[in-house]
Amino acid sequence: MVKITKEAALAYHEMGKPGKIEVKPTKPYRTQTDLSLAYSPGVAYPCLEIQQNADDAYKYTNKGNLVAVISNGTAVLGLGNIGAESGKPVMEGKGLLFKIYGGVDVFDIEVDEQDPEKFCEVVERIAPSFGGINLEDIKAPECFYIEERLKKTLDIPVMHDDQHGTAIISAAGLKNALEVAGKDISKVKLVVNGAGAAAISCTKLYVALGLKVENIVMLDSRGVISSDRTDLTEQKKLFATDRRDVHTLEEAMVGADVFVGLSKGNILTKEMVRSMAENPIVFALANPVPEISYEDAMDSRPDVLISTGRSDYPNQINNVIGFPFIFRGALDVHARAINEEMKLAAVHAIADLAKERIPDIVNEVYHVNDLSFGPKYFIPKPVDPRLITEVSAAVAKAAMDSGVARTPITDWDAYKNRLRQMLGQETKFTRTLHATAALHPQRVVFAEGGHPTMMKAAVQAYQEGICKPILLGNPDRLNRLATRLKLDLSGVDIVDMRADKEQGRRATYAKHLAEKMARKGYTFDEAYDKMYERNYFGMSMVENDDADAFITGLYTKYSNTIKVAKEVIGMRPEFGTFGTMHILNTKKGVFYLADTLINRHPDHNVLYDIARLSVHTVRFFNAEPVIAMISYSNFGTDDKGSPLAVHQAVERIQAEFPDLAIDGEMQVNFALNQQLRDDKYPFTRLKGKNVNTLIFPNMSSANSSYKLMEGLDPDVEIIGPIQMGLNKAIHFTDFEASVTNVVNVTAVAVIDAYVEKKKKDFLK
């Protein structure tokens, strides 16, 4: 675990704007009209609508996406009763987690009041502002009363996360751990060390899953909670045991199947773990120091299954796996409460998710590639992008089924897609891309079959129905790699281009290449030698109709790939060059950038071709191009160098294509700001239009621009590079491409190949 120093933590909270969260406008506000709509007089109209129908607050205000994180600071993390204002950094942190994981907006509210009655009165008075209330860091037993009262008096979701968040996540973990251990929850013996808010709530939820109360031993700071004790709260009495043979933790642990610690560090010994039943389950959840360290637990016996609250060990019980998505689902149906049905739905959704195939992003974040359901992985990781869709949907459906939803969801696929898009995981553009490719899957050759990223992408593309993958490489080596990566290569073809059985195919490909390149000095022998190289062989498969598309680039330099593509595939006869495009999927829309990789210093003729290629490519993606030819000057303010080349290219293409929306040369800010451009240059052919295609004067500026956007804004989705101008579907990737990048390019290649086939059929 990274060591956090006091100095680093204070600097983090102080730097830039103090604190961790801020409020941002969601509507235009730059003009007087905007301000008049936002405030007086326009704001009166939604006020009157809400007066007539209170539920219209969800329609006209942010109530439906706003949660109050409320605390009185009486039980802040491990710091205790430090007061309301001192706990504010924690509440801000909670707000940050709500936003980044669930897309939920938060106001943190610190209430300087320890009297439960008065505290509830404050919350009840401010509740109309919010779609939900997250109670935080309130000490027991007051927290029980506060939550129960507010659940009765308010008609919005109320949840004390310290109780129920830990309960939901640990219950999901326990459900799966019992499955791994081969144990029946109705028969296991449970020891719970700790009897605070979290421990009581966790144990209640375990009982709801089927655990028997008579099989529970709970301990507090005074020892075993037994029915003959006279100092028990109402909550503790629920789990008081009638057993008289146990008085200490050591005695309780003998023969126990499960230990759940919500107490303090280093109170569980190796000897206690050894005294447990076969395949014991230990949830040591004290943080940052667990009841027993992971190392000591594993050293005590090899069959132990262990969870902690720490991120540096397997099976972390982390509340962030739950609360953002539980509230997300509750808010999205305008729920009146978070009830037991919704909590149990979250438990089952989280538990089930751990059994699904692990997304590549999870493996990347945790620097592993072998996560699979079992002793070291029975609870999802907090970064799993599927949590927001699966848990939120399960909670929303449970709210509807249990009758606490105001607004039902009818299209669950659309709902999940909206959630993915909200957090930038997936967009309509890429969904459409994948869905289109899946309609007509093609045979795609993956050049670097032995690269883990390429193999994962090929398998994923096959599983999504995008393509019929062909991996180039040695079968034994590829199968060993697949075993190590735990990938199923069923349905994936492997072609060993160096194998003796491929001799005939190499000769055929060499003959065709030698004939095509005869006037450039190629001999058959030279062409035959080339067929031992993956790019020559793979592209020749496409050229000779043994495959439909080809993906390369993780190992190979662009200069070499371009050379091979020109020789084997060749350029479209209607263009004098070819280029590449990157697509930027941003919150402001989809933008197409060219030429990002091929032409270093294009003259006006090459820029003319790049513009025509861009028109063809943008239309390929079912968009109508609105093109700005970029330079550092505007419309002839500089008549030398690259501005002149751009100016000449624009002049020619405008003359030949009078209906095409293209203009330049212009600076990027004028290209992207319609009002600025129209006011300053009303003569432009782009007047009244929003530019979606940017063509740069050279490769350096185009490449730097898309990489700058990628580096500055993590929410920008980059798709590409996409080749423009080759005769067949030959596509390249960046050497640093992720699995998602390669799958996206594969989808483009599939569509490209299918379109080319349809053109040939039409010409026949």
Side-chain angles (χ1 to χ4, degrees):
M1 179 176 284
V2 177
K3 180 175 175 58
I4 301 298
T5 66
K6 174 182 177 180
E7 292 76 16
L10 294 178
Y12 172 85
H13 285 79
E14 183 184 9
M15 67 179 179
K17 288 185 177 181
K20 297 187 286 286
I21 56 177
E22 66 178 1
V23 177
K24 289 187 175 181
T26 60
K27 298 292 188 295
Y29 54 86
R30 298 185 184 278
T31 68
Q32 183 59 48
T33 300
D34 292 337
L35 296 177
S36 295
L37 289 169
Y39 199 55
S40 182
V43 75
Y45 295 105
C47 291
L48 294 173
E49 293 295 310
I50 295 168
Q51 184 185 32
Q52 296 297 316
N53 178 12
D55 284 351
D56 275 354
Y58 289 99
K59 183 177 181 180
Y60 296 116
T61 76
N62 67 345
K63 178 170 181 166
N65 196 51
L66 185 62
V67 166
V69 173
I70 303 181
S71 178
N72 62 3
T74 53
V76 179
L77 293 177
L79 304 175
N81 188 351
I82 62 174
E85 192 166 2
S86 300
K88 182 173 171 62
V90 177
M91 306 313 129
E92 285 187 355
K94 193 81 170 195
L96 182 147
L97 296 175
F98 261 112
K99 186 66 176 180
I100 64 174
Y101 285 107
V104 176
D105 294 321
V106 162
F107 289 159
D108 64 289
I109 298 174
E110 292 71 40
V111 181
D112 188 13
E113 180 56 72
Q114 297 193 23
D115 182 284
E117 296 286 346
K118 294 180 179 178
F119 181 88
C120 286
E121 289 175 6
V122 172
V123 177
E124 288 162 352
R125 298 294 186 273
I126 64 173
S129 300
F130 302 99
I133 303 289
N134 181 94
L135 299 170
E136 193 79 15
D137 291 353
I138 302 170
K139 69 182 179 72
E142 290 90 335
C143 63
F144 300 113
Y145 170 80
I146 288 171
E147 185 188 45
E148 286 305 311
R149 169 169 161 174
L150 293 176
K151 286 169 68 174
K152 292 176 182 177
T153 59
L154 300 179
D155 67 345
I156 57 175
V158 176
M159 189 174 86
H160 184 208
D161 187 53
D162 298 330
Q163 294 181 57
H164 306 298
T166 304
I168 290 165
I169 312 310
S170 67
L174 179 60
K175 181 175 183 290
N176 281 350
L178 289 170
E179 183 176 331
V180 173
K183 299 190 180 217
D184 183 343
I185 193 169
S186 66
K187 298 177 182 178
V188 299
K189 296 178 180 179
L190 168 68
V191 175
V192 181
N193 197 66
I200 295 292
S201 185
C202 286
T203 311
K204 283 183 178 179
L205 201 51
Y206 304 159
V207 171
L209 287 176
L211 196 126
K212 303 296 184 184
V213 174
E214 57 266 29
N215 290 339
I216 299 170
V217 175
M218 183 178 285
L219 298 92
D220 61 10
S221 59
R222 298 185 181 182
V224 171
I225 295 175
S226 58
S227 55
D228 60 348
R229 280 178 50 176
T230 59
D231 60 342
L232 300 181
T233 64
E234 292 302 314
Q235 288 76 27
K236 291 182 181 181
K237 287 179 182 178
L238 295 172
F239 302 108
T241 182
D242 292 328
R243 291 177 60 180
R244 297 293 179 264
D245 59 328
V246 292
H247 305 86
T248 65
L249 177 61
E250 184 177 13
E251 293 173 347
M253 291 295 289
V254 177
D257 295 285
V258 181
F259 169 83
V260 175
L262 293 147
S263 51
K264 60 182 180 179
N266 296 324
I267 50 83
L268 191 67
T269 66
K270 293 182 181 180
E271 289 70 25
M272 293 180 190
V273 176
R274 292 189 185 108
S275 73
M276 296 177 72
E278 184 181 0
N279 298 322
I281 297 167
V282 174
F283 281 17
L285 305 183
N287 215 351
V289 180
E291 284 80 0
I292 184 172
S293 71
Y294 178 83
E295 291 82 3
D296 283 351
M298 296 303 296
D299 186 56
S300 66
R301 53 192 297 175
D303 61 342
V304 66
L305 300 175
I306 182 167
S307 280
T308 71
R310 291 178 51 153
S311 61
D312 50 344
Y313 295 114
N315 303 314
Q316 182 193 19
I317 302 298
N318 188 331
N319 282 21
V320 80
I321 297 171
F323 69 82
F325 318 114
I326 294 165
F327 272 95
R328 178 76 273 153
L331 290 170
D332 289 338
V333 292
H334 303 162
R336 300 180 186 276
I338 292 175
N339 56 28
E340 295 307 306
E341 292 89 343
M342 295 159 75
K343 295 174 195 172
L344 283 171
V347 170
H348 293 300
I350 293 167
D352 290 345
L353 195 57
K355 301 173 188 177
E356 301 294 328
R357 183 180 177 275
I358 312 303
D360 190 65
I361 181 65
V362 176
N363 285 322
E364 288 178 3
V365 169
Y366 289 91
H367 305 293
V368 297
N369 56 27
D370 59 351
L371 282 180
S372 60
F373 184 70
K376 292 187 178 181
Y377 177 77
F378 51 76
I379 195 76
K381 298 291 187 182
V383 297
D384 194 318
R386 301 167 299 176
L387 283 164
I388 190 169
T389 54
E390 301 311 308
V391 180
S392 301
V395 170
K397 189 175 188 305
M400 292 164 52
D401 292 345
S402 60
V404 298
R406 289 181 176 89
T407 306
I409 294 170
T410 55
D411 187 336
W412 291 99
D413 288 337
Y415 173 62
K416 289 184 178 183
N417 286 338
R418 182 176 67 81
L419 293 178
R420 294 187 192 101
Q421 191 167 354
M422 177 192 301
L423 294 188
Q425 295 172 13
E426 188 176 319
T427 64
K428 183 178 179 181
F429 184 86
T430 50
R431 288 197 307 275
T432 302
L433 202 64
H434 288 208
T436 303
L439 290 174
H440 307 284
Q442 304 290 301
R443 300 165 299 170
V444 179
V445 180
F446 294 83
E448 298 102 342
H451 193 294
T453 298
M454 194 70 86
M455 182 178 285
K456 289 178 183 179
V459 171
Q460 183 176 326
Y462 174 73
Q463 291 173 342
E464 291 186 19
I466 290 173
C467 75
K468 302 167 186 175
I470 302 167
L471 299 180
L472 294 186
N474 178 274
D476 291 338
R477 179 170 175 264
L478 296 189
N479 282 307
R480 286 196 301 271
L481 176 63
T483 300
R484 182 165 62 83
L485 297 176
K486 297 187 176 179
L487 295 174
D488 182 3
L489 293 185
S490 301
V492 178
D493 289 336
I494 297 175
V495 172
D496 185 356
M497 60 188 184
R498 296 174 181 270
D500 290 341
K501 68 178 183 179
E502 291 295 335
Q503 185 175 358
R505 184 149 54 170
R506 284 198 303 271
T508 299
Y509 295 166
K511 179 176 180 292
H512 288 170
L513 180 60
E515 289 173 353
K516 179 183 287 189
M517 301 294 291
R519 304 299 295 182
K520 295 188 177 181
Y522 257 79
T523 65
F524 172 82
D525 290 338
E526 184 179 0
Y528 190 83
D529 286 342
K530 296 290 187 185
M531 292 307 150
Y532 285 97
E533 297 179 24
R534 62 172 66 91
N535 283 335
Y536 276 98
F537 188 91
M539 290 187 201
S540 293
M541 290 182 70
V542 177
E543 178 68 6
N544 289 270
D545 294 326
D546 289 333
D548 305 304
F550 177 78
I551 306 291
T552 188
L554 290 176
Y555 289 136
T556 314
K557 291 182 179 180
Y558 287 120
S559 56
N560 178 262
T561 305
I562 292 164
K563 175 180 178 292
V564 178
K566 286 181 177 179
E567 292 178 3
V568 178
I569 301 297
M571 292 185 293
R572 296 178 188 270
E574 66 268 33
F575 300 108
T577 187
F578 79 105
T580 55
M581 172 179 283
H582 276 79
I583 301 173
L584 275 62
N585 208 341
T586 76
K587 291 180 179 179
K588 290 189 175 183
V590 177
F591 293 92
Y592 304 86
L593 276 62
D595 166 27
T596 47
L597 289 175
I598 303 298
N599 300 286
R600 290 182 172 84
H601 303 290
D603 60 19
H604 68 278
N605 291 316
V606 173
L607 289 170
Y608 164 81
D609 262 351
I610 291 170
R612 291 196 301 135
L613 285 166
S614 297
V615 170
H616 177 272
T617 304
V618 174
R619 287 176 176 162
F620 173 85
F621 289 107
N622 292 319
E624 187 58 31
V626 180
I627 305 173
M629 299 281 284
I630 303 301
S631 182
Y632 59 80
S633 74
N634 285 312
F635 301 103
T637 55
D638 191 329
D639 60 0
K640 295 181 177 63
S642 64
L644 178 60
V646 174
H647 186 85
Q648 291 171 334
V650 170
E651 193 171 51
R652 180 180 173 188
I653 202 166
Q654 283 187 339
E656 294 183 16
F657 302 93
D659 296 327
L660 180 63
I662 184 169
D663 217 331
E665 77 284 12
M666 69 180 72
Q667 296 172 351
V668 170
N669 58 324
F670 285 93
L672 298 179
N673 188 325
Q674 178 192 325
Q675 183 175 344
L676 177 66
R677 182 181 66 245
D678 289 357
D679 288 347
K680 188 72 173 178
Y681 304 107
F683 58 82
T684 175
R685 191 182 282 193
L686 304 181
K687 187 173 183 179
K689 298 180 183 295
N690 290 315
V691 167
N692 62 4
T693 307
L694 305 175
I695 298 175
F696 290 83
N698 51 54
M699 188 179 77
S700 178
S701 56
N703 187 275
S704 297
S705 293
Y706 97 80
K707 287 188 177 293
L708 179 65
M709 286 295 297
E710 184 179 34
L712 291 178
D713 188 350
D715 292 331
V716 171
E717 180 182 32
I718 308 291
I719 300 169
I722 296 158
Q723 68 87 1
M724 307 186 297
L726 290 176
N727 263 326
K728 294 192 176 182
I730 306 299
H731 287 267
F732 322 132
T733 66
D734 294 317
F735 74 90
E736 73 271 22
S738 67
V739 172
T740 299
N741 296 148
V742 179
V743 173
N744 286 340
V745 172
T746 302
V748 172
V750 167
I751 300 168
D752 191 6
Y754 179 71
V755 169
E756 288 305 307
K757 281 186 177 181
K758 296 302 290 182
K759 284 182 181 177
K760 287 183 179 179
D761 291 343
F762 178 76
L763 292 174
K764 288 178 183 178

